[in-house]
Amino acid sequence: MNPLDRLTDLFERFPGIGPRQARRFVQFLLAEQAGFRSDLAESIRHLGTETAQCKKCFRWFVKNEEERGLCTICGNPKREAATLFVVEKDADIENVEHSGFRGLYFVLGGTIPLASEQPERHVRMHELLRRIETDASALELNELILGLSATSEGDHTRLILQEKIRPISEGLNFKVSSLGRGLSTGSELEYADPDTIASALSSRN
Ligand SMILES: [Zn+2]
């Protein structure tokens, strides 16, 4: 495959990027200075070697911030371990942090498509169930907050998770809540402002 098609194919794998946009990125890179292209290539290479995925919440962080394989949030003893906030993706955490939340997180890694017959293939379902079982058995968990998008796929994912979590929460006695009003229909945490998230958190049920 020629380098133009090869790079176009790679860009097409990015979320929300179609063939025409992918081709535009390639044209943009062709018009840029060689220095920009090598900076970009090097940054991508470093992404693999200088970052790590947190063992506990699964978010990506820069290795020099590491604390025993944990990110700065999970490694911080001052965080309130009794409240666990489940988010879809890494980008959601930043916004929730600005809303003043001081508990811990778990990154689900996406949502479950409506027609999927194997929901656990799309998100970190097993890892989440194991995490809450461990935390709740150690009496460290009082509340699990499901912070999914107000979209049909987010609702679908929440229902499946609630069903899987129910037997554990009944046995180990912790509360499972969801974000309340405030997040408008169709909105994702990543794009919600901190005040909206704070109000959705305070009206959780
Ligand atoms: Zn972490």
Side-chain angles (χ1 to χ4, degrees):
M1 194 184 280
N2 76 52
L4 296 178
D5 292 343
R6 169 86 186 127
L7 193 53
T8 305
D9 274 6
L10 290 172
F11 280 133
E12 270 191 65
R13 293 203 209 166
F14 282 58
I17 300 300
R20 278 177 54 186
Q21 281 162 306
R23 184 60 85 181
R24 278 181 62 198
F25 286 176
V26 174
Q27 295 296 338
F28 166 77
L29 286 174
L30 284 171
E32 277 295 313
Q33 306 276 347
F36 178 84
R37 288 193 295 270
S38 49
D39 266 2
L40 180 67
E42 206 173 329
S43 301
I44 293 172
R45 221 176 359 256
H46 285 170
L47 208 53
T49 54
E50 292 171 13
T51 55
Q53 197 169 24
C54 178
K55 288 192 295 191
K56 218 171 165 186
C57 71
F58 291 92
R59 79 184 181 115
W60 290 93
F61 62 97
V62 181
K63 271 184 187 167
N64 61 19
E65 294 171 357
E66 188 166 15
E67 195 74 50
R68 306 177 311 276
L70 302 177
C71 71
T72 46
I73 297 176
C74 295
N76 180 354
K78 290 184 183 150
R79 303 287 303 210
E80 294 150 16
T83 317
L84 185 62
F85 198 123
V86 179
V87 294
E88 288 170 16
K89 50 195 178 304
D90 287 31
D92 298 343
I93 292 180
E94 203 175 318
N95 269 345
V96 180
E97 282 292 281
H98 286 136
S99 78
F101 178 73
R102 287 297 166 259
L104 295 176
Y105 297 97
F106 182 90
V107 182
L108 202 54
T111 48
I112 301 165
L114 297 179
S116 173
E117 284 173 11
Q118 290 173 293
E120 62 282 349
R121 280 188 50 201
H122 301 274
V123 295
R124 297 188 186 100
M125 176 100 77
H126 297 306
E127 291 87 342
L128 174 64
L129 297 178
R130 205 178 310 132
R131 165 83 184 268
I132 56 186
E133 216 155 17
T134 309
D135 284 10
S137 306
L139 298 177
E140 277 178 356
L141 189 63
N142 286 335
E143 184 181 1
L144 183 78
I145 305 170
L146 298 174
L148 293 143
S149 297
T151 58
S152 52
E153 213 168 283
D155 288 341
H156 176 65
T157 306
R158 190 176 55 250
L159 290 174
I160 293 180
L161 290 180
Q162 281 169 338
E163 199 175 296
K164 299 268 182 192
I165 293 165
R166 193 170 301 125
I168 309 176
S169 66
E170 281 170 0
L172 292 167
N173 207 18
F174 59 89
K175 184 183 171 193
V176 181
S177 59
S178 299
L179 290 186
R181 282 166 196 277
L183 280 187
S184 52
T185 304
S187 70
E188 297 183 29
L189 277 190
E190 184 183 355
Y191 306 111
D193 64 83
D195 288 344
T196 306
I197 296 176
S199 100
L201 262 172
S202 64
S203 63
R204 67 186 186 262
N205 46 46

